[in-house]
Amino acid sequence: MTNPVLTAELALKSFYIFNSAFGPKEGEEEKKVLFYHPQDTDIDTKIKDVGLSEAIIKFSNTFTKDDSVQTMHTQKTCQFYYQPEPGYWMIMTLSVPFDRKTRDSGDYNEYHGDTIHDTIYQSVLRQAYRMFRMFHGTFQDNLRPNEELDAQANLIGRLEAFYQSYILHLQMKRCDVVDAFGSVQYLPLNQLLFLRVQNFINMIEATFAPIKHCIFLYSDQVVWSGINPTDLYTLYEYFHSPMFDQLAQSKQTRPAYVTEQGKCKRYTLMVCRKVQNISLCLLLDDGAVENEQSLYLELNAVVNPQLTAISSDISQHLQSGGESSYSFGCAGGSSSSSSSSRDDSAPKFIFFNELNLQHRGTVRLGQAQYHSVTGSGLPNDVMNLIVDLLDDVRSNRSSVMDETIVKTHDDYWIVKRSCNTRHVFIILNKSSTLIDVTEETKKILDQHVKGIFF
């Protein structure tokens, strides 16, 4: 009989960026390393880790025509590879969680590598690049000399300044299906309220010429966005990170790079302070504003009264019942959602639209699940199984519509139904027959996602 005496959780072991072209000759291996975390690691270890990564990439290329290596699992670590730009590689190494156990023959570690889902943490690594690109541009764009530094030193300085702060706020053990989805929540409004918000956006874009795009949030849910869904998700993650709080205390604006027609275009990001529950994020034409502070004060004077009125109307609309789907938001909602979520055996669902990267449902996802009542989240193995089902859909696009039903060893039933780019996952935690599961699924679909599936 074994007894657990020590537990080690999933943790970030190392994170580094390199480019082999910067040190092609023997003795120049150190030049390849552009960033390495932990920063106090000795140079020999950095060179050894980069060399091993190069060997793995080269070895994998003998079997594929492209640089498609993504993950390498060992008993104690899991390593993720991503090449965001030609020649630049980002590597993230996680320590596999384990239990320290004892038995008659001695102590041993029981590793749980199956708790680390490749898709989730590959998405985390890709998001780390997107966040840098959002505020600094591509790696290649930063490979330029300035008055004090040569091109490579300037790039290394930018990477260190950004990632040393970014990595401190990464919480690996809290990553879940939202990281795999790369999605945000939209707040459903009736036609009148939505048109009012749209007219407000049109008014400020017409009144203030430098404003090119707007993002309108209510209670951290998206009402309107003028940028592509991927960049919206990156900005949404930034707004909810400590990095935003730190910057907001010192300045109102910062550069932002948004993808338009396949190219990165630079804007100036300005975030107006919250008016009641509304946050207004503006993308200004870069270089078009001479006095940003003056524009900020003028904007607040013009929009604050209107935002106050809009916020009041939305609040009344939601309190009176609002859209039925709002009460089942993953990040919040009415008391009916909370009371339903308190029962761990209550049916739950997650809806995900790949087209606009939207999610909603009765499951608390992302950071919200760690500030909510017990029972509103899902076990890690169920989360991983949902991502497996999504991966299966993404790898097989031949079927326009399909349904999959899975039962886990601990009596969780997961029903996945997909139609084109829309997916719904229904989670039942009770001992049921297949007929009961089918009936419960039909009830949930009719109640919450009616009209989405044929």
PDB file of all heavy atoms in Angstrom, residues 300-314:
ATOM      1  N   ASN A 300     -13.136  62.132 -22.579  1.00  0.00           N
ATOM      2  CA  ASN A 300     -13.867  61.829 -21.356  1.00  0.00           C
ATOM      3  C   ASN A 300     -15.009  62.804 -21.125  1.00  0.00           C
ATOM      4  O   ASN A 300     -16.091  62.412 -20.683  1.00  0.00           O
ATOM      5  CB  ASN A 300     -12.916  61.827 -20.157  1.00  0.00           C
ATOM      6  CG  ASN A 300     -12.176  60.519 -19.994  1.00  0.00           C
ATOM      7  OD1 ASN A 300     -12.688  59.576 -19.406  1.00  0.00           O
ATOM      8  ND2 ASN A 300     -10.971  60.442 -20.536  1.00  0.00           N
ATOM      9  N   ALA A 301     -14.771  64.062 -21.449  1.00  0.00           N
ATOM     10  CA  ALA A 301     -15.829  65.057 -21.263  1.00  0.00           C
ATOM     11  C   ALA A 301     -17.007  64.812 -22.195  1.00  0.00           C
ATOM     12  O   ALA A 301     -18.168  65.028 -21.831  1.00  0.00           O
ATOM     13  CB  ALA A 301     -15.255  66.457 -21.498  1.00  0.00           C
ATOM     14  N   VAL A 302     -16.724  64.312 -23.406  1.00  0.00           N
ATOM     15  CA  VAL A 302     -17.782  64.087 -24.395  1.00  0.00           C
ATOM     16  C   VAL A 302     -18.516  62.769 -24.155  1.00  0.00           C
ATOM     17  O   VAL A 302     -19.747  62.713 -24.196  1.00  0.00           O
ATOM     18  CB  VAL A 302     -17.190  64.112 -25.827  1.00  0.00           C
ATOM     19  CG1 VAL A 302     -18.245  63.681 -26.856  1.00  0.00           C
ATOM     20  CG2 VAL A 302     -16.673  65.499 -26.159  1.00  0.00           C
ATOM     21  N   VAL A 303     -17.764  61.698 -23.883  1.00  0.00           N
ATOM     22  CA  VAL A 303     -18.386  60.372 -23.859  1.00  0.00           C
ATOM     23  C   VAL A 303     -18.918  59.955 -22.492  1.00  0.00           C
ATOM     24  O   VAL A 303     -19.831  59.125 -22.422  1.00  0.00           O
ATOM     25  CB  VAL A 303     -17.390  59.291 -24.365  1.00  0.00           C
ATOM     26  CG1 VAL A 303     -16.853  59.652 -25.733  1.00  0.00           C
ATOM     27  CG2 VAL A 303     -16.246  59.073 -23.380  1.00  0.00           C
ATOM     28  N   ASN A 304     -18.364  60.484 -21.426  1.00  0.00           N
ATOM     29  CA  ASN A 304     -18.784  60.021 -20.104  1.00  0.00           C
ATOM     30  C   ASN A 304     -20.281  60.152 -19.828  1.00  0.00           C
ATOM     31  O   ASN A 304     -20.904  59.212 -19.322  1.00  0.00           O
ATOM     32  CB  ASN A 304     -17.986  60.734 -19.015  1.00  0.00           C
ATOM     33  CG  ASN A 304     -16.612  60.113 -18.814  1.00  0.00           C
ATOM     34  OD1 ASN A 304     -16.192  59.262 -19.599  1.00  0.00           O
ATOM     35  ND2 ASN A 304     -15.890  60.536 -17.794  1.00  0.00           N
ATOM     36  N   PRO A 305     -20.909  61.301 -20.145  1.00  0.00           N
ATOM     37  CA  PRO A 305     -22.357  61.382 -19.913  1.00  0.00           C
ATOM     38  C   PRO A 305     -23.148  60.344 -20.705  1.00  0.00           C
ATOM     39  O   PRO A 305     -24.107  59.753 -20.193  1.00  0.00           O
ATOM     40  CB  PRO A 305     -22.702  62.813 -20.357  1.00  0.00           C
ATOM     41  CG  PRO A 305     -21.415  63.563 -20.253  1.00  0.00           C
ATOM     42  CD  PRO A 305     -20.359  62.583 -20.610  1.00  0.00           C
ATOM     43  N   GLN A 306     -22.743  60.094 -21.967  1.00  0.00           N
ATOM     44  CA  GLN A 306     -23.451  59.119 -22.792  1.00  0.00           C
ATOM     45  C   GLN A 306     -23.201  57.694 -22.292  1.00  0.00           C
ATOM     46  O   GLN A 306     -24.113  56.862 -22.278  1.00  0.00           O
ATOM     47  CB  GLN A 306     -23.025  59.261 -24.252  1.00  0.00           C
ATOM     48  CG  GLN A 306     -23.371  60.604 -24.865  1.00  0.00           C
ATOM     49  CD  GLN A 306     -23.170  60.620 -26.368  1.00  0.00           C
ATOM     50  OE1 GLN A 306     -23.669  59.751 -27.068  1.00  0.00           O
ATOM     51  NE2 GLN A 306     -22.437  61.605 -26.862  1.00  0.00           N
ATOM     52  N   LEU A 307     -21.975  57.425 -21.875  1.00  0.00           N
ATOM     53  CA  LEU A 307     -21.671  56.092 -21.356  1.00  0.00           C
ATOM     54  C   LEU A 307     -22.437  55.818 -20.067  1.00  0.00           C
ATOM     55  O   LEU A 307     -22.880  54.686 -19.825  1.00  0.00           O
ATOM     56  CB  LEU A 307     -20.172  55.947 -21.111  1.00  0.00           C
ATOM     57  CG  LEU A 307     -19.271  55.862 -22.356  1.00  0.00           C
ATOM     58  CD1 LEU A 307     -17.812  55.743 -21.954  1.00  0.00           C
ATOM     59  CD2 LEU A 307     -19.666  54.698 -23.244  1.00  0.00           C
ATOM     60  N   THR A 308     -22.604  56.840 -19.245  1.00  0.00           N
ATOM     61  CA  THR A 308     -23.373  56.671 -18.013  1.00  0.00           C
ATOM     62  C   THR A 308     -24.812  56.281 -18.322  1.00  0.00           C
ATOM     63  O   THR A 308     -25.375  55.377 -17.698  1.00  0.00           O
ATOM     64  CB  THR A 308     -23.341  57.968 -17.188  1.00  0.00           C
ATOM     65  OG1 THR A 308     -21.976  58.297 -16.873  1.00  0.00           O
ATOM     66  CG2 THR A 308     -24.128  57.811 -15.897  1.00  0.00           C
ATOM     67  N   ALA A 309     -25.393  56.954 -19.319  1.00  0.00           N
ATOM     68  CA  ALA A 309     -26.777  56.651 -19.699  1.00  0.00           C
ATOM     69  C   ALA A 309     -26.894  55.264 -20.312  1.00  0.00           C
ATOM     70  O   ALA A 309     -27.819  54.502 -20.004  1.00  0.00           O
ATOM     71  CB  ALA A 309     -27.282  57.706 -20.676  1.00  0.00           C
ATOM     72  N   ILE A 310     -25.935  54.898 -21.180  1.00  0.00           N
ATOM     73  CA  ILE A 310     -25.963  53.575 -21.811  1.00  0.00           C
ATOM     74  C   ILE A 310     -25.789  52.482 -20.764  1.00  0.00           C
ATOM     75  O   ILE A 310     -26.473  51.461 -20.786  1.00  0.00           O
ATOM     76  CB  ILE A 310     -24.872  53.469 -22.904  1.00  0.00           C
ATOM     77  CG1 ILE A 310     -25.185  54.417 -24.069  1.00  0.00           C
ATOM     78  CG2 ILE A 310     -24.752  52.039 -23.414  1.00  0.00           C
ATOM     79  CD1 ILE A 310     -24.090  54.479 -25.117  1.00  0.00           C
ATOM     80  N   SER A 311     -24.857  52.689 -19.836  1.00  0.00           N
ATOM     81  CA  SER A 311     -24.622  51.707 -18.790  1.00  0.00           C
ATOM     82  C   SER A 311     -25.873  51.492 -17.945  1.00  0.00           C
ATOM     83  O   SER A 311     -26.218  50.363 -17.594  1.00  0.00           O
ATOM     84  CB  SER A 311     -23.463  52.154 -17.891  1.00  0.00           C
ATOM     85  OG  SER A 311     -23.263  51.253 -16.845  1.00  0.00           O
ATOM     86  N   SER A 312     -26.565  52.563 -17.626  1.00  0.00           N
ATOM     87  CA  SER A 312     -27.798  52.461 -16.835  1.00  0.00           C
ATOM     88  C   SER A 312     -28.866  51.660 -17.570  1.00  0.00           C
ATOM     89  O   SER A 312     -29.539  50.808 -16.988  1.00  0.00           O
ATOM     90  CB  SER A 312     -28.307  53.859 -16.499  1.00  0.00           C
ATOM     91  OG  SER A 312     -29.521  53.792 -15.788  1.00  0.00           O
ATOM     92  N   ASP A 313     -29.009  51.921 -18.878  1.00  0.00           N
ATOM     93  CA  ASP A 313     -30.021  51.208 -19.671  1.00  0.00           C
ATOM     94  C   ASP A 313     -29.689  49.722 -19.799  1.00  0.00           C
ATOM     95  O   ASP A 313     -30.575  48.869 -19.720  1.00  0.00           O
ATOM     96  CB  ASP A 313     -30.142  51.845 -21.057  1.00  0.00           C
ATOM     97  CG  ASP A 313     -30.777  53.224 -21.005  1.00  0.00           C
ATOM     98  OD1 ASP A 313     -31.387  53.546 -19.965  1.00  0.00           O
ATOM     99  OD2 ASP A 313     -30.663  53.980 -21.989  1.00  0.00           O
ATOM    100  N   ILE A 314     -28.394  49.402 -20.002  1.00  0.00           N
ATOM    101  CA  ILE A 314     -28.003  47.988 -20.107  1.00  0.00           C
ATOM    102  C   ILE A 314     -28.242  47.284 -18.777  1.00  0.00           C
ATOM    103  O   ILE A 314     -28.736  46.155 -18.738  1.00  0.00           O
ATOM    104  CB  ILE A 314     -26.526  47.864 -20.530  1.00  0.00           C
ATOM    105  CG1 ILE A 314     -26.332  48.376 -21.962  1.00  0.00           C
ATOM    106  CG2 ILE A 314     -26.063  46.414 -20.443  1.00  0.00           C
ATOM    107  CD1 ILE A 314     -24.890  48.349 -22.437  1.00  0.00           C
TER     108      ILE A 314
END
